[in-house]
Amino acid sequence: MTKNQTSTNVWTVVIVVLLLSIGMGIAAFVYRSTTQVREALAEEILEQQHDVSSLIQEYGNVMLSIERKRLDSNAKNQNALTNALSTAQSQLVQMRSNYSFERLDGAAKANTFIKPILEDVDQWTTQGLHGIAADDPFVLDLAAQRMQERYADIREISAEIDNVANELIAAQTDFLGRFRDSMLLLLAGFAMLSLTIATLLIRQRNLQTQLAIDQESNAQKLIEAETRGRLQAEEALLGSEQFLRATLNSLNSDIAILDHNGVISAVNMPWKSFVSSNEQQYADGGIGHHYETVFKSTAATELERDGIHMATSMVADVLSGKSDEMFFEYPCHRDEKRQWSLVSMSTFNTGEGRHSVLVHEDVTERKRLEERDRRLRAELAHVSRLTTAGELASGLAHELNQPLTAITHNCDAVMSSMRDQSEADAEVLETVNDISEQAQRAGGIIRSMRHLVRKDTGDKVPTDINELVKETVRLTAPEAREKGVNVTLLLADDLPKLHMDPVQIQQVLVNLERNSVEAMWQNESSVRELSIETCLHGEEHVEVCISDTGPGIEPTFARKLFSAFQTTKTNGMGLGLSISRSIVEQHGGRLWIDPDSEGVTIFRFTIPVT
Ligand code: ADP
């Protein structure tokens, strides 16, 4: 039972007791008052009866006195009679003053009767009656008679008073009895009323209690339903938040969600680590801060600062609604590497207004591929030009081969004819021989060139490496001569023939030789010596060593020398060494730069014997 219910019960009991007490109090008061009235009335009646009795008795005494005097008057004692009468009169007067006859009708009546009698008797006994002397026995008889007559009347009045008193008492008793019954009924009514009120109060209290219980249970159910609904909504929200967070975190790009003021409201893990690595103050990715402050804190270089400045102004345009999205790429430096960042932004609307998704993407790899693409396209164009030149050269070589062959044949014919003639001029013979040899050499150069530009590469055939070296030297010799480079060949004897694609290895040799010649020429070295050596490297490899007296290579540059697109030349492609290395490796060999060489730059490559 609750505290409220207890207090209601107490109040119900108090009210019932109070009502009963009031009812009983009223009944007791009325009963007591009426009993007192009845007792007072009875007492009054008794008193009056007593008064009337006393009156009668006194009256009797007067009459007796008159009678006695009258008898005495016969003895002619008039004075004695007169005295008796005056005594009687004074007794009556005394009696009248002692008793109040107005209190009852009966008593008043008696008084009315007595008064004239006394007056008559008084007059008669003092003045006499119609000329008859006052002490005449006749007068006295008359007076006595008169008194007697009235005495009977008084006795009747007394009886009447008794009757009236009895009736009055009976009426009063009856009234009191009925009054008491009414009071009892009233009391019973009060009791019933109290019980009814008590019942109503208890019923009301029960109803209130039930209502309170119902309300409490309904409220409880409502709260439970609300709580269930809220929990479900919270779970759904949490689920979608977790989904969103997991999705955001699974993306490699740095992502931040901004509100309509540009304040960061959520970030993913990559953004957090990107921002916190630059500025420890933003360990949580700068949530709650304006994106511009956070964004600018990531700038490491002036170049990057410019990029970020441009990007933030474009982001501001999106936030202000001037544009719906933006994309901007800017260069930056991370870990001592040049990198590229792409900032993009798109917007979406929720009930809370316009929001934006800001994405930072590392597009360095794409940029690098684009750059490589660009270089490859240039290279392709270059190669295409080379191919065209090669085809022209091939056609030219073919065209030149015939006249050169004709020259050689003709020279042979001339020399043969001259040897048959005894008088032939030895000097002319020698000149013709010279012409023949030069024509053959020109033919050899042209054949080498045709091999070099031939398209059908890829066939590996047993090849004499020394012959291949000589052929390439023949090709590069004009350039070497032009650039003042002396070429020395140190070719080992008895090298086994190597299984190789001669065109590809020739390309490697030409590339290495030309690099050396160009290096020495660009350096304007006083000593320009190019040496090409072949030897056995162990039992399984033949090694070719190309050394020059050029400027050498910077150690930092040397580390990336064999990577594609690494060049120090204005018109260089930076592809020669990387292509050469891959050709050598395709043949099962190795190409490297000798790190221990001093004063000379040495490139070495090996080709397996089998
Ligand atoms: P490219 O000749 O088009 O520049 P390469 O891959 O053949 O491309 O050469 C790459 C770079 O290596 C050259 O630009 C040059 O700086 C350097 N290099 C190659 N050979 C030598 C050498 N013998 N002496 C000095 N530098 C060299």
Side-chain angles (χ1 to χ4, degrees):
M1 192 179 279
T2 64
K3 200 175 167 186
N4 279 346
Q5 289 170 344
T6 313
S7 86
T8 310
N9 284 343
V10 169
W11 274 111
T12 307
V13 171
V14 167
I15 288 168
V16 168
V17 168
L18 204 66
L19 282 171
L20 280 173
S21 306
I22 291 169
M24 287 175 76
I26 291 170
F29 172 74
V30 171
Y31 180 75
R32 196 158 170 275
S33 305
T34 50
T35 306
Q36 279 177 352
V37 168
R38 194 190 63 175
E39 283 171 357
L41 190 64
E43 198 178 326
E44 180 75 10
I45 288 169
L46 283 175
E47 230 174 67
Q48 290 198 23
Q49 281 178 327
H50 177 262
D51 287 348
V52 173
S53 301
S54 302
L55 178 63
I56 290 167
Q57 199 177 349
E58 291 296 330
Y59 200 87
N61 289 340
V62 172
M63 277 179 46
L64 198 62
S65 167
I66 292 171
E67 190 59 30
R68 207 179 290 128
K69 296 302 174 191
R70 194 168 62 90
L71 290 174
D72 289 347
S73 69
N74 291 335
K76 301 292 182 188
N77 189 357
Q78 187 59 38
N79 286 336
L81 182 63
T82 305
N83 288 341
L85 277 172
S86 64
T87 307
Q89 190 183 3
S90 63
Q91 279 177 337
L92 282 172
V93 171
Q94 183 68 36
M95 190 175 70
R96 280 183 65 193
S97 66
N98 283 347
Y99 303 104
S100 169
F101 292 102
E102 281 82 17
R103 276 187 292 181
L104 280 172
D105 283 347
K109 244 186 230 172
N111 193 33
T112 313
F113 273 110
I114 289 166
K115 196 178 171 187
I117 293 166
L118 290 175
E119 283 169 0
D120 285 352
V121 169
D122 184 46
Q123 193 182 1
W124 292 345
T125 53
T126 54
Q127 296 170 12
L129 182 64
H130 301 297
I132 306 165
D135 54 354
D136 189 280
F138 172 73
V139 174
L140 289 173
D141 283 346
L142 195 63
Q145 194 183 339
R146 187 74 182 270
M147 291 284 282
Q148 213 159 1
E149 281 170 10
R150 289 297 173 244
Y151 181 65
D153 290 341
I154 288 168
R155 300 265 326 187
E156 267 177 32
I157 289 168
S158 172
E160 206 176 295
I161 286 172
D162 285 349
N163 286 339
V164 169
N166 288 334
E167 277 173 17
L168 203 60
I169 286 169
Q172 283 293 329
T173 309
D174 182 46
F175 168 75
L176 283 175
R178 277 189 279 118
F179 184 76
R180 193 177 309 153
D181 293 346
S182 303
M183 280 302 106
L184 284 172
L185 273 174
L186 186 67
L187 197 60
F190 256 107
M192 290 292 290
L193 184 67
S194 303
L195 282 173
T196 308
I197 289 172
T199 312
L200 286 174
L201 281 172
I202 289 168
R203 190 168 160 65
Q204 187 197 9
R205 196 260 302 163
N206 287 342
L207 283 173
Q208 278 177 343
T209 310
Q210 191 57 43
L211 193 68
I213 290 169
D214 287 353
Q215 277 177 346
E216 202 173 319
S217 125
N218 285 342
Q220 191 65 31
K221 279 179 192 159
L222 204 67
I223 288 168
E224 279 172 10
E226 268 181 14
T227 310
R228 227 182 359 261
R230 204 183 61 239
L231 281 175
Q232 280 170 357
E234 278 174 2
E235 270 172 24
L237 191 67
L238 193 69
S240 72
E241 268 182 9
Q242 282 173 345
F243 172 72
L244 182 68
R245 196 157 292 285
T247 308
L248 284 177
N249 285 337
S250 67
L251 299 171
N252 289 330
S253 306
D254 311 334
I255 299 174
I257 311 289
L258 312 184
D259 67 11
H260 60 283
N261 290 320
V263 174
I264 299 172
S265 57
V267 300
N268 69 346
M269 287 305 290
W271 173 285
K272 203 184 274 187
S273 49
F274 160 63
V275 169
S276 60
S277 67
N278 284 292
E279 184 60 72
Q280 288 187 344
Q281 173 194 349
Y282 303 126
D284 61 349
I287 290 175
H289 295 268
H290 199 270
Y291 82 96
E292 198 173 330
T293 325
V294 177
F295 195 9
K296 283 184 173 168
S297 75
T298 63
T301 61
E302 199 58 44
L303 180 71
E304 200 171 339
R305 245 185 295 282
D306 290 347
I308 287 176
H309 183 71
M310 281 291 291
T312 49
S313 73
M314 290 171 84
V315 169
D317 283 351
V318 176
L319 284 172
S320 64
K322 278 189 198 162
S323 53
D324 286 337
E325 55 182 15
M326 56 82 67
F327 298 91
F328 180 69
E329 286 178 0
Y330 66 94
C332 51
H333 275 85
R334 296 257 177 278
D335 306 327
E336 296 182 356
K337 279 190 224 153
R338 184 182 166 85
Q339 295 190 345
W340 281 88
S341 273
L342 166 68
V343 182
S344 62
M345 193 175 185
S346 52
T347 57
F348 62 95
N349 286 312
T350 67
E352 293 167 4
R354 185 178 159 101
H355 294 259
S356 315
V357 183
L358 187 65
V359 181
H360 275 215
E361 213 176 325
D362 183 356
V363 289
T364 310
E365 186 58 21
R366 175 169 64 72
K367 276 280 183 187
R368 198 180 64 74
L369 290 174
E370 280 176 8
E371 179 67 12
R372 200 184 74 171
D373 224 28
R374 192 183 62 73
R375 283 179 182 239
L376 280 175
R377 270 199 297 277
E379 169 70 354
L380 201 64
H382 183 62
V383 168
S384 160
R385 282 199 301 278
L386 279 179
T387 308
T388 310
E391 281 168 359
L392 285 173
S394 179
L396 197 63
H398 181 72
E399 291 299 315
L400 285 175
N401 200 34
Q402 284 178 352
L404 284 172
T405 309
I407 289 169
T408 309
H409 285 161
N410 286 334
C411 283
D412 287 350
V414 169
M415 283 192 295
S416 168
S417 153
M418 285 182 74
R419 279 192 201 104
D420 292 344
Q421 295 170 14
S422 51
E423 68 275 17
D425 190 338
E427 199 177 334
V428 172
L429 191 63
E430 196 179 333
T431 306
V432 173
N433 190 41
D434 251 13
I435 291 169
S436 174
E437 276 180 12
Q438 291 303 322
Q440 280 177 25
R441 190 161 164 244
I445 292 170
I446 284 169
R447 266 196 308 280
S448 300
M449 189 183 279
R450 284 186 69 193
H451 281 154
L452 188 66
V453 297
R454 211 170 57 193
K455 286 181 184 169
D456 53 346
T457 57
D459 293 339
K460 289 180 182 165
V461 291
T463 308
D464 184 341
I465 186 73
N466 286 345
E467 280 306 314
L468 206 62
V469 169
K470 285 178 200 163
E471 206 167 277
T472 56
V473 167
R474 268 200 299 274
L475 281 172
T476 56
E479 189 181 0
R481 240 192 329 274
E482 185 193 330
K483 291 175 175 161
V485 174
N486 186 38
V487 182
T488 310
L489 296 180
L490 296 166
L491 306 176
D493 293 335
D494 303 329
L495 288 178
K497 285 202 170 182
L498 302 174
H499 196 66
M500 64 168 77
D501 178 344
V503 177
Q504 286 187 343
I505 299 300
Q506 198 177 32
Q507 190 180 343
V508 173
L509 285 164
V510 167
N511 189 47
L512 293 173
E513 289 164 19
R514 291 193 68 220
N515 274 348
S516 292
V517 169
E518 282 178 7
M520 287 185 284
W521 178 67
Q522 277 172 359
N523 195 39
E524 295 176 353
S525 322
S526 52
V527 182
R528 296 178 184 175
E529 289 289 340
L530 170 64
S531 163
I532 304 163
E533 190 181 342
T534 57
C535 61
L536 265 177
H537 182 89
E539 290 186 357
E540 294 179 349
H541 290 86
V542 168
E543 182 180 291
V544 181
C545 169
I546 296 103
S547 64
D548 66 72
T549 55
I553 297 166
E554 282 288 315
T556 50
F557 188 70
R559 279 200 289 274
K560 50 187 177 182
L561 197 60
F562 292 98
S563 303
F565 309 112
Q566 298 300 325
T567 181
T568 57
K569 297 172 195 168
T570 326
N571 298 319
M573 293 291 294
L575 288 169
L577 286 178
S578 71
I579 291 172
S580 296
R581 177 175 262 186
S582 66
I583 288 174
V584 170
E585 285 174 354
Q586 272 171 19
H587 282 79
R590 236 167 32 90
L591 169 61
W592 72 98
I593 180 167
D594 193 337
D596 301 326
S597 50
E598 270 188 26
V600 286
T601 308
I602 303 174
F603 282 88
R604 296 175 195 275
F605 72 88
T606 56
I607 302 286
V609 172
T610 51

